[in-house]
Amino acid sequence: MTPARIVSTEAGGEPFALGAVSPNPTRGAAEVSLSLPEASEVTVSVFDAMGREVGSVRQATAAGSHRLGVPVGGLAPGVYVVRVESPSGTATRRLTVVR
């Protein structure tokens, strides 16, 4: 899957790229690939099918390409939405948890 180019939420800001969540489907741990134009604080959140936030991790990240952990521990099998937020923008990906 080609990383999506995300339009910045700030005027004059640079876009960031969010890749796929892997492995997908997952039984335990998962990661999402991300490329940031500048160092910033990034939040990775997971939402269930009802739109409830079921996990969130915030971390400082340097500019460049990264693989960030997705908080999936203890989630029931199902389909979830992973949202990545930074000052450069917001993007989502779908994640399936299996047992």
Side-chain angles (χ1 to χ4, degrees):
M1 173 182 231
T2 304
R5 295 307 278 173
I6 308 304
V7 178
S8 173
T9 57
E10 295 182 4
E14 293 293 320
F16 74 95
L18 180 64
V21 177
S22 64
N24 193 7
T26 186
R27 283 190 163 84
E31 295 180 321
V32 64
S33 59
L34 174 69
S35 178
L36 291 170
E38 60 189 28
S40 60
E41 190 168 273
V42 176
T43 302
V44 179
S45 302
V46 179
F47 296 86
D48 66 12
M50 306 262 314
R52 298 174 294 205
E53 185 175 297
V54 294
S56 182
V57 174
R58 182 175 293 187
Q59 65 186 68
T61 306
S65 296
H66 303 279
R67 300 213 33 95
L68 304 176
V70 176
V72 297
L75 294 180
V79 177
Y80 296 87
V81 173
V82 176
R83 181 175 69 193
V84 177
E85 296 177 83
S86 83
S88 298
T90 300
T92 60
R93 290 286 182 261
R94 196 174 334 191
L95 170 68
T96 303
V97 174
V98 296
R99 295 289 175 229

